[in-house]
Amino acid sequence: MKKLIALLLTLAMALSLAACGAAPAAPETKAPEAPAATEAPAADAPAEELHFVYVSPLLSHPIWLIAKNGFDAACQELGIQGDWVGPQGISAEEMAQLVDTAVAQGADAIISQSICPVAPLQNAIDEGIPVLLVDGDHDDLDGRLAYLGKDLTKQAELMYEEVAKVIPADQKIVMSIQCANLNAQFYVDQNNAVEAAFSKHPGGFELTNVSVSTSDKAIGTNEWLNTFNTYPEVNVCINLAAEAAAACVTAADELNITDSLVIVGVDDTEENLALLREGKILCTSVVSFWNYGYQAAYWLYQNITEGRVPQQVKNDGGTMMVTKDNIDTYNDLLKVKVDLPAK
């Protein structure tokens, strides 16, 4: 009997120990769900928005705002994020800083003008950013996509052609030039082209002086007053800055000599066109500032998205002369859209 009781106790203890040492039952788990499959983008899905930066030499100048309107129109049409930046007054240093900022921000393309130094533009190109110049070029900028601007020789020849209609062949042309600045080769080249075109005048030619407006009408007016007081023999006034013709008329009106002068301007600002209608200026040379914005952005877009390149780096932006005869019709010729050649 005692042996039976001992055997039962031993069996009970063994069962108890086995129960204590058993691992707890694992909780029921679910297999993780596979992540939802992402739909592959359609073949015609739009590309990531491009970012173009336009570094203008003058942020709010009336003639450059025409370029801004063209740039804005192209950006809206093509789905581009476009930034219009620039100094309020001519400043090569500020333009250089703005180009550097555009590079740092990862811009996809840059449009600028030759007042901006070569170094920051070259750095942008070296970083793989296409650069297009308008209005003024840098021949030593390696790898720029294109230059779009005035044909300076053609402009000078057109100016002489118009002046020769009112200055007799046997009368000497005594000229004064006013330009925006002399700190870029573009301005020097522009002045030299005018001098070359007029030097063939059979009655003789003399360039008395060159003044600078710094794109400010008040400064330009004062410079013209100084010119007329110093060189009263001047009979032809060539104005190579947008505001200079109006400054010239203001100074000449003050001295009551406007009728004795032949005044030539550049650009189709509202003030220049009004003075042309009044007969106070003879003509004004124009190129499409609209296309300095629109065509420039469009060409860069075609280059980036289709690999197209222009046939030549230097391209005439449509240099022409506005006179009383074509003042009401010329504008349509300045908005002609041109494609880059297909690859």
Side-chain angles (χ1 to χ4, degrees), residues 86-142:
Q88 289 290 352
I90 290 178
S91 171
E93 294 77 12
E94 285 189 52
M95 290 182 74
Q97 292 170 5
L98 290 166
V99 170
D100 287 340
T101 299
V103 173
Q105 291 175 342
D108 293 295
I110 295 172
I111 303 166
S112 193
Q113 194 259 12
S114 62
I115 291 175
C116 181
V118 170
L121 295 170
Q122 189 65 64
N123 178 59
I125 293 171
D126 294 344
E127 290 292 326
I129 301 171
V131 169
L132 189 150
L133 292 180
V134 299
D135 188 56
D137 195 17
H138 280 307
D139 288 334
D140 51 349
L141 181 61
D142 185 33

CSV table of all heavy atoms in Angstrom, one decimal, residues 86-142:
chain,number,residue,atom,x,y,z
A,86,GLY,N,16.6,90.3,-61.8
A,86,GLY,CA,17.6,91.3,-62.4
A,86,GLY,C,17.7,92.5,-61.5
A,86,GLY,O,16.9,92.7,-60.6
A,87,PRO,N,18.7,93.3,-61.7
A,87,PRO,CA,18.9,94.6,-60.9
A,87,PRO,C,18.0,95.7,-61.3
A,87,PRO,O,17.5,95.7,-62.5
A,87,PRO,CB,20.4,94.9,-61.1
A,87,PRO,CG,20.7,94.4,-62.5
A,87,PRO,CD,19.8,93.1,-62.6
A,88,GLN,N,17.7,96.6,-60.5
A,88,GLN,CA,16.9,97.8,-60.9
A,88,GLN,C,17.7,98.7,-61.7
A,88,GLN,O,17.1,99.4,-62.6
A,88,GLN,CB,16.4,98.5,-59.6
A,88,GLN,CG,15.3,97.8,-58.8
A,88,GLN,CD,14.0,97.7,-59.6
A,88,GLN,OE1,13.8,98.4,-60.6
A,88,GLN,NE2,13.0,97.0,-59.0
A,89,GLY,N,19.0,98.8,-61.5
A,89,GLY,CA,19.9,99.6,-62.3
A,89,GLY,C,21.0,98.7,-62.8
A,89,GLY,O,21.3,97.7,-62.2
A,90,ILE,N,21.6,99.1,-63.9
A,90,ILE,CA,22.7,98.3,-64.5
A,90,ILE,C,23.7,97.9,-63.5
A,90,ILE,O,24.3,98.8,-62.9
A,90,ILE,CB,23.3,99.0,-65.7
A,90,ILE,CG1,22.2,99.0,-66.9
A,90,ILE,CG2,24.5,98.2,-66.2
A,90,ILE,CD1,22.7,99.7,-68.1
A,91,SER,N,24.0,96.6,-63.3
A,91,SER,CA,25.0,96.2,-62.3
A,91,SER,C,25.4,94.8,-62.7
A,91,SER,O,24.7,93.8,-62.6
A,91,SER,CB,24.4,96.1,-60.9
A,91,SER,OG,25.3,95.4,-60.0
A,92,ALA,N,26.7,94.7,-63.2
A,92,ALA,CA,27.2,93.4,-63.6
A,92,ALA,C,27.4,92.5,-62.4
A,92,ALA,O,27.2,91.3,-62.5
A,92,ALA,CB,28.6,93.7,-64.3
A,93,GLU,N,27.7,93.1,-61.3
A,93,GLU,CA,27.9,92.3,-60.1
A,93,GLU,C,26.6,91.6,-59.6
A,93,GLU,O,26.6,90.4,-59.3
A,93,GLU,CB,28.5,93.2,-58.9
A,93,GLU,CG,29.9,93.7,-59.2
A,93,GLU,CD,29.9,94.9,-60.2
A,93,GLU,OE1,28.8,95.5,-60.5
A,93,GLU,OE2,31.0,95.3,-60.6
A,94,GLU,N,25.5,92.4,-59.6
A,94,GLU,CA,24.2,91.8,-59.2
A,94,GLU,C,23.8,90.7,-60.2
A,94,GLU,O,23.3,89.6,-59.8
A,94,GLU,CB,23.2,92.9,-59.1
A,94,GLU,CG,23.3,93.7,-57.9
A,94,GLU,CD,22.1,94.6,-57.8
A,94,GLU,OE1,20.9,94.1,-57.8
A,94,GLU,OE2,22.2,95.9,-57.6
A,95,MET,N,24.0,90.9,-61.5
A,95,MET,CA,23.7,89.9,-62.5
A,95,MET,C,24.5,88.6,-62.2
A,95,MET,O,23.9,87.5,-62.3
A,95,MET,CB,23.9,90.4,-63.9
A,95,MET,CG,22.9,91.5,-64.3
A,95,MET,SD,23.2,92.0,-66.0
A,95,MET,CE,22.5,90.6,-66.9
A,96,ALA,N,25.8,88.8,-61.9
A,96,ALA,CA,26.6,87.6,-61.7
A,96,ALA,C,26.1,86.8,-60.5
A,96,ALA,O,26.0,85.6,-60.5
A,96,ALA,CB,28.1,88.1,-61.4
A,97,GLN,N,25.7,87.5,-59.4
A,97,GLN,CA,25.2,86.9,-58.2
A,97,GLN,C,23.9,86.1,-58.5
A,97,GLN,O,23.7,85.0,-58.0
A,97,GLN,CB,25.0,87.9,-57.1
A,97,GLN,CG,26.3,88.5,-56.6
A,97,GLN,CD,26.0,89.7,-55.7
A,97,GLN,OE1,24.9,90.1,-55.4
A,97,GLN,NE2,27.1,90.4,-55.2
A,98,LEU,N,23.1,86.7,-59.4
A,98,LEU,CA,21.8,86.1,-59.7
A,98,LEU,C,22.0,84.8,-60.5
A,98,LEU,O,21.3,83.9,-60.3
A,98,LEU,CB,20.9,87.1,-60.4
A,98,LEU,CG,20.3,88.2,-59.5
A,98,LEU,CD1,19.8,89.3,-60.4
A,98,LEU,CD2,19.3,87.7,-58.5
A,99,VAL,N,23.0,84.9,-61.4
A,99,VAL,CA,23.3,83.6,-62.2
A,99,VAL,C,23.8,82.6,-61.2
A,99,VAL,O,23.4,81.4,-61.3
A,99,VAL,CB,24.3,83.9,-63.3
A,99,VAL,CG1,24.8,82.6,-63.9
A,99,VAL,CG2,23.7,84.8,-64.4
A,100,ASP,N,24.7,82.9,-60.3
A,100,ASP,CA,25.2,82.0,-59.3
A,100,ASP,C,24.1,81.4,-58.5
A,100,ASP,O,24.1,80.2,-58.2
A,100,ASP,CB,26.2,82.7,-58.4
A,100,ASP,CG,27.6,83.0,-59.1
A,100,ASP,OD1,27.8,82.3,-60.1
A,100,ASP,OD2,28.3,83.8,-58.5
A,101,THR,N,23.1,82.2,-58.1
A,101,THR,CA,22.0,81.7,-57.3
A,101,THR,C,21.1,80.7,-58.2
A,101,THR,O,20.7,79.7,-57.7
A,101,THR,CB,21.1,82.9,-56.9
A,101,THR,OG1,21.8,83.8,-56.1
A,101,THR,CG2,19.8,82.4,-56.1
A,102,ALA,N,20.9,81.0,-59.4
A,102,ALA,CA,20.2,80.1,-60.3
A,102,ALA,C,20.9,78.8,-60.4
A,102,ALA,O,20.2,77.7,-60.4
A,102,ALA,CB,20.0,80.8,-61.7
A,103,VAL,N,22.2,78.8,-60.5
A,103,VAL,CA,23.0,77.5,-60.6
A,103,VAL,C,22.8,76.8,-59.3
A,103,VAL,O,22.6,75.5,-59.3
A,103,VAL,CB,24.4,77.8,-60.9
A,103,VAL,CG1,25.3,76.5,-60.8
A,103,VAL,CG2,24.6,78.4,-62.2
A,104,ALA,N,22.9,77.5,-58.1
A,104,ALA,CA,22.8,76.8,-56.8
A,104,ALA,C,21.4,76.2,-56.6
A,104,ALA,O,21.2,75.2,-56.0
A,104,ALA,CB,23.1,77.8,-55.7
A,105,GLN,N,20.4,76.8,-57.2
A,105,GLN,CA,19.0,76.3,-57.1
A,105,GLN,C,18.7,75.2,-58.1
A,105,GLN,O,17.6,74.7,-58.1
A,105,GLN,CB,18.0,77.5,-57.3
A,105,GLN,CG,18.0,78.5,-56.2
A,105,GLN,CD,17.1,79.7,-56.5
A,105,GLN,OE1,16.8,79.9,-57.7
A,105,GLN,NE2,16.8,80.5,-55.5
A,106,GLY,N,19.6,74.9,-58.9
A,106,GLY,CA,19.4,73.8,-59.9
A,106,GLY,C,18.6,74.2,-61.1
A,106,GLY,O,17.8,73.3,-61.6
A,107,ALA,N,18.7,75.4,-61.5
A,107,ALA,CA,17.9,75.8,-62.7
A,107,ALA,C,18.2,74.9,-63.9
A,107,ALA,O,19.3,74.4,-64.1
A,107,ALA,CB,18.2,77.3,-63.1
A,108,ASP,N,17.2,74.7,-64.7
A,108,ASP,CA,17.4,73.9,-65.9
A,108,ASP,C,17.9,74.7,-67.1
A,108,ASP,O,18.4,74.1,-68.1
A,108,ASP,CB,16.0,73.2,-66.3
A,108,ASP,CG,15.6,72.2,-65.2
A,108,ASP,OD1,16.3,71.2,-65.1
A,108,ASP,OD2,14.5,72.5,-64.6
A,109,ALA,N,17.7,76.0,-67.1
A,109,ALA,CA,18.2,76.8,-68.2
A,109,ALA,C,18.3,78.3,-67.7
A,109,ALA,O,17.5,78.7,-66.8
A,109,ALA,CB,17.3,76.7,-69.4
A,110,ILE,N,19.2,79.0,-68.3
A,110,ILE,CA,19.4,80.4,-68.0
A,110,ILE,C,19.4,81.3,-69.2
A,110,ILE,O,20.1,80.9,-70.2
A,110,ILE,CB,20.7,80.6,-67.2
A,110,ILE,CG1,20.6,79.9,-65.8
A,110,ILE,CG2,21.0,82.1,-66.9
A,110,ILE,CD1,21.9,79.9,-65.0
A,111,ILE,N,18.7,82.4,-69.2
A,111,ILE,CA,18.7,83.4,-70.3
A,111,ILE,C,19.3,84.7,-69.6
A,111,ILE,O,18.9,85.1,-68.5
A,111,ILE,CB,17.3,83.7,-70.8
A,111,ILE,CG1,16.7,82.4,-71.3
A,111,ILE,CG2,17.4,84.7,-71.9
A,111,ILE,CD1,15.2,82.6,-71.5
A,112,SER,N,20.3,85.3,-70.3
A,112,SER,CA,20.8,86.5,-69.8
A,112,SER,C,21.4,87.4,-70.9
A,112,SER,O,21.2,87.1,-72.1
A,112,SER,CB,21.9,86.2,-68.8
A,112,SER,OG,22.2,87.4,-68.0
A,113,GLN,N,22.1,88.4,-70.5
A,113,GLN,CA,22.6,89.4,-71.5
A,113,GLN,C,24.1,89.7,-71.1
A,113,GLN,O,24.5,89.5,-70.0
A,113,GLN,CB,21.7,90.7,-71.4
A,113,GLN,CG,21.9,91.7,-72.5
A,113,GLN,CD,22.8,92.9,-72.1
A,113,GLN,OE1,23.4,92.9,-71.0
A,113,GLN,NE2,22.8,93.9,-72.9
A,114,SER,N,24.8,90.3,-72.1
A,114,SER,CA,26.3,90.4,-71.9
A,114,SER,C,26.8,91.3,-70.9
A,114,SER,O,28.0,91.4,-70.6
A,114,SER,CB,26.9,90.7,-73.3
A,114,SER,OG,26.4,92.0,-73.7
A,115,ILE,N,25.9,92.1,-70.2
A,115,ILE,CA,26.4,92.9,-69.1
A,115,ILE,C,26.9,92.0,-68.0
A,115,ILE,O,27.8,92.2,-67.3
A,115,ILE,CB,25.4,93.9,-68.6
A,115,ILE,CG1,25.1,95.0,-69.6
A,115,ILE,CG2,25.8,94.5,-67.3
A,115,ILE,CD1,24.0,95.9,-69.3
A,116,CYS,N,26.2,90.8,-67.9
A,116,CYS,CA,26.7,89.8,-66.9
A,116,CYS,C,28.1,89.3,-67.3
A,116,CYS,O,28.3,89.0,-68.5
A,116,CYS,CB,25.7,88.6,-66.9
A,116,CYS,SG,26.1,87.4,-65.7
A,117,PRO,N,29.0,89.2,-66.4
A,117,PRO,CA,30.3,88.7,-66.7
A,117,PRO,C,30.3,87.3,-67.3
A,117,PRO,O,29.4,86.5,-67.0
A,117,PRO,CB,31.1,88.8,-65.4
A,117,PRO,CG,30.3,89.8,-64.6
A,117,PRO,CD,28.9,89.6,-65.0
A,118,VAL,N,31.4,86.9,-67.9
A,118,VAL,CA,31.5,85.6,-68.5
A,118,VAL,C,31.6,84.5,-67.4
A,118,VAL,O,30.9,83.4,-67.6
A,118,VAL,CB,32.7,85.5,-69.4
A,118,VAL,CG1,33.0,84.0,-69.9
A,118,VAL,CG2,32.5,86.3,-70.7
A,119,ALA,N,32.3,84.7,-66.4
A,119,ALA,CA,32.7,83.7,-65.4
A,119,ALA,C,31.4,82.9,-64.9
A,119,ALA,O,31.4,81.7,-64.9
A,119,ALA,CB,33.5,84.2,-64.3
A,120,PRO,N,30.4,83.6,-64.3
A,120,PRO,CA,29.3,82.9,-63.8
A,120,PRO,C,28.5,82.1,-64.9
A,120,PRO,O,28.0,81.0,-64.6
A,120,PRO,CB,28.4,83.9,-63.1
A,120,PRO,CG,28.9,85.2,-63.7
A,120,PRO,CD,30.3,85.1,-64.1
A,121,LEU,N,28.4,82.7,-66.1
A,121,LEU,CA,27.7,82.1,-67.2
A,121,LEU,C,28.5,80.8,-67.6
A,121,LEU,O,27.9,79.8,-67.9
A,121,LEU,CB,27.6,83.0,-68.3
A,121,LEU,CG,26.7,84.2,-68.1
A,121,LEU,CD1,26.8,85.2,-69.2
A,121,LEU,CD2,25.2,83.8,-67.9
A,122,GLN,N,29.8,80.9,-67.7
A,122,GLN,CA,30.6,79.8,-68.0
A,122,GLN,C,30.5,78.7,-67.0
A,122,GLN,O,30.4,77.5,-67.3
A,122,GLN,CB,32.1,80.2,-68.2
A,122,GLN,CG,33.0,79.1,-68.8
A,122,GLN,CD,32.6,78.8,-70.2
A,122,GLN,OE1,32.7,79.6,-71.1
A,122,GLN,NE2,32.1,77.5,-70.4
A,123,ASN,N,30.4,79.0,-65.7
A,123,ASN,CA,30.2,78.1,-64.7
A,123,ASN,C,28.9,77.3,-64.8
A,123,ASN,O,28.8,76.1,-64.6
A,123,ASN,CB,30.3,78.8,-63.3
A,123,ASN,CG,30.1,77.8,-62.1
A,123,ASN,OD1,30.8,76.8,-62.0
A,123,ASN,ND2,29.0,78.0,-61.4
A,124,ALA,N,27.8,78.1,-65.2
A,124,ALA,CA,26.5,77.5,-65.4
A,124,ALA,C,26.6,76.4,-66.5
A,124,ALA,O,26.1,75.3,-66.4
A,124,ALA,CB,25.5,78.5,-65.7
A,125,ILE,N,27.3,76.8,-67.6
A,125,ILE,CA,27.4,75.8,-68.7
A,125,ILE,C,28.2,74.6,-68.3
A,125,ILE,O,27.9,73.5,-68.6
A,125,ILE,CB,28.1,76.5,-69.9
A,125,ILE,CG1,27.2,77.6,-70.5
A,125,ILE,CG2,28.4,75.6,-71.0
A,125,ILE,CD1,27.8,78.5,-71.5
A,126,ASP,N,29.3,74.9,-67.6
A,126,ASP,CA,30.1,73.7,-67.1
A,126,ASP,C,29.4,72.8,-66.2
A,126,ASP,O,29.7,71.6,-66.0
A,126,ASP,CB,31.4,74.3,-66.4
A,126,ASP,CG,32.3,75.0,-67.4
A,126,ASP,OD1,32.1,74.8,-68.6
A,126,ASP,OD2,33.2,75.8,-66.9
A,127,GLU,N,28.3,73.4,-65.5
A,127,GLU,CA,27.5,72.6,-64.6
A,127,GLU,C,26.4,71.8,-65.4
A,127,GLU,O,25.6,71.2,-64.8
A,127,GLU,CB,26.9,73.5,-63.5
A,127,GLU,CG,27.9,74.0,-62.5
A,127,GLU,CD,28.4,72.9,-61.6
A,127,GLU,OE1,27.7,71.9,-61.3
A,127,GLU,OE2,29.6,73.0,-61.2
A,128,GLY,N,26.4,72.0,-66.7
A,128,GLY,CA,25.4,71.3,-67.5
A,128,GLY,C,24.1,72.1,-67.7
A,128,GLY,O,23.1,71.5,-68.2
A,129,ILE,N,24.1,73.4,-67.4
A,129,ILE,CA,22.9,74.2,-67.6
A,129,ILE,C,23.0,74.9,-68.9
A,129,ILE,O,23.9,75.7,-69.1
A,129,ILE,CB,22.7,75.2,-66.5
A,129,ILE,CG1,22.7,74.4,-65.1
A,129,ILE,CG2,21.5,76.1,-66.7
A,129,ILE,CD1,22.7,75.4,-63.9
A,130,PRO,N,22.1,74.7,-69.9
A,130,PRO,CA,22.1,75.5,-71.1
A,130,PRO,C,21.9,77.0,-70.9
A,130,PRO,O,21.0,77.4,-70.1
A,130,PRO,CB,21.0,74.9,-72.0
A,130,PRO,CG,20.2,74.0,-71.1
A,130,PRO,CD,21.0,73.7,-69.8
A,131,VAL,N,22.7,77.8,-71.6
A,131,VAL,CA,22.6,79.2,-71.5
A,131,VAL,C,22.4,79.8,-72.8
A,131,VAL,O,23.0,79.5,-73.8
A,131,VAL,CB,23.9,79.8,-70.9
A,131,VAL,CG1,24.0,81.3,-71.0
A,131,VAL,CG2,24.1,79.3,-69.4
A,132,LEU,N,21.5,80.8,-72.9
A,132,LEU,CA,21.2,81.5,-74.1
A,132,LEU,C,21.3,83.0,-73.8
A,132,LEU,O,20.7,83.5,-72.8
A,132,LEU,CB,19.8,81.2,-74.7
A,132,LEU,CG,19.4,81.7,-76.1
A,132,LEU,CD1,18.4,80.7,-76.8
A,132,LEU,CD2,18.8,83.1,-76.0
A,133,LEU,N,22.0,83.7,-74.7
A,133,LEU,CA,22.2,85.2,-74.5
A,133,LEU,C,21.3,85.9,-75.5
A,133,LEU,O,21.1,85.5,-76.6
A,133,LEU,CB,23.7,85.6,-74.7
A,133,LEU,CG,24.7,85.1,-73.6
A,133,LEU,CD1,26.1,85.5,-74.0
A,133,LEU,CD2,24.3,85.5,-72.2
A,134,VAL,N,20.8,87.1,-75.0
A,134,VAL,CA,20.1,87.9,-75.9
A,134,VAL,C,20.6,89.4,-75.8
A,134,VAL,O,21.3,89.7,-74.8
A,134,VAL,CB,18.6,88.0,-75.5
A,134,VAL,CG1,17.9,86.6,-75.6
A,134,VAL,CG2,18.4,88.5,-74.0
A,135,ASP,N,20.4,90.1,-76.8
A,135,ASP,CA,20.7,91.6,-76.9
A,135,ASP,C,22.2,91.9,-76.9
A,135,ASP,O,22.6,92.7,-77.7
A,135,ASP,CB,20.1,92.3,-75.7
A,135,ASP,CG,20.2,93.8,-75.8
A,135,ASP,OD1,19.8,94.3,-76.8
A,135,ASP,OD2,20.8,94.4,-74.9
A,136,GLY,N,23.0,91.2,-76.2
A,136,GLY,CA,24.5,91.4,-76.2
A,136,GLY,C,25.1,90.0,-76.0
A,136,GLY,O,24.7,89.2,-75.1
A,137,ASP,N,26.2,89.7,-76.8
A,137,ASP,CA,26.8,88.4,-76.8
A,137,ASP,C,28.2,88.4,-76.1
A,137,ASP,O,28.8,89.5,-75.9
A,137,ASP,CB,26.9,87.9,-78.2
A,137,ASP,CG,27.2,86.4,-78.3
A,137,ASP,OD1,27.0,85.7,-77.3
A,137,ASP,OD2,27.6,86.0,-79.4
A,138,HIS,N,28.7,87.2,-75.7
A,138,HIS,CA,30.0,87.0,-75.3
A,138,HIS,C,30.7,86.0,-76.2
A,138,HIS,O,30.4,84.8,-76.1
A,138,HIS,CB,30.1,86.5,-73.8
A,138,HIS,CG,29.9,87.5,-72.8
A,138,HIS,ND1,30.6,88.6,-72.7
A,138,HIS,CD2,29.0,87.5,-71.7
A,138,HIS,CE1,30.2,89.3,-71.6
A,138,HIS,NE2,29.2,88.6,-71.0
A,139,ASP,N,31.6,86.5,-77.1
A,139,ASP,CA,32.2,85.5,-78.0
A,139,ASP,C,33.1,84.5,-77.3
A,139,ASP,O,33.3,83.4,-77.8
A,139,ASP,CB,33.1,86.3,-79.0
A,139,ASP,CG,32.2,87.1,-80.0
A,139,ASP,OD1,31.1,86.6,-80.3
A,139,ASP,OD2,32.7,88.1,-80.6
A,140,ASP,N,33.6,84.9,-76.1
A,140,ASP,CA,34.5,84.0,-75.4
A,140,ASP,C,33.7,83.1,-74.4
A,140,ASP,O,34.3,82.4,-73.6
A,140,ASP,CB,35.6,84.7,-74.7
A,140,ASP,CG,35.1,85.9,-73.8
A,140,ASP,OD1,33.9,86.2,-74.0
A,140,ASP,OD2,35.8,86.5,-73.1
A,141,LEU,N,32.4,83.0,-74.5
A,141,LEU,CA,31.6,82.1,-73.6
A,141,LEU,C,31.5,80.8,-74.4
A,141,LEU,O,30.7,80.7,-75.3
A,141,LEU,CB,30.2,82.7,-73.3
A,141,LEU,CG,29.3,81.9,-72.5
A,141,LEU,CD1,29.9,81.7,-71.1
A,141,LEU,CD2,27.9,82.6,-72.3
A,142,ASP,N,32.2,79.8,-73.9
A,142,ASP,CA,32.3,78.5,-74.6
A,142,ASP,C,31.1,77.6,-74.3
A,142,ASP,O,30.8,77.4,-73.1
A,142,ASP,CB,33.6,77.8,-74.2
A,142,ASP,CG,33.8,76.6,-74.9
A,142,ASP,OD1,33.4,76.5,-76.1
A,142,ASP,OD2,34.4,75.6,-74.4
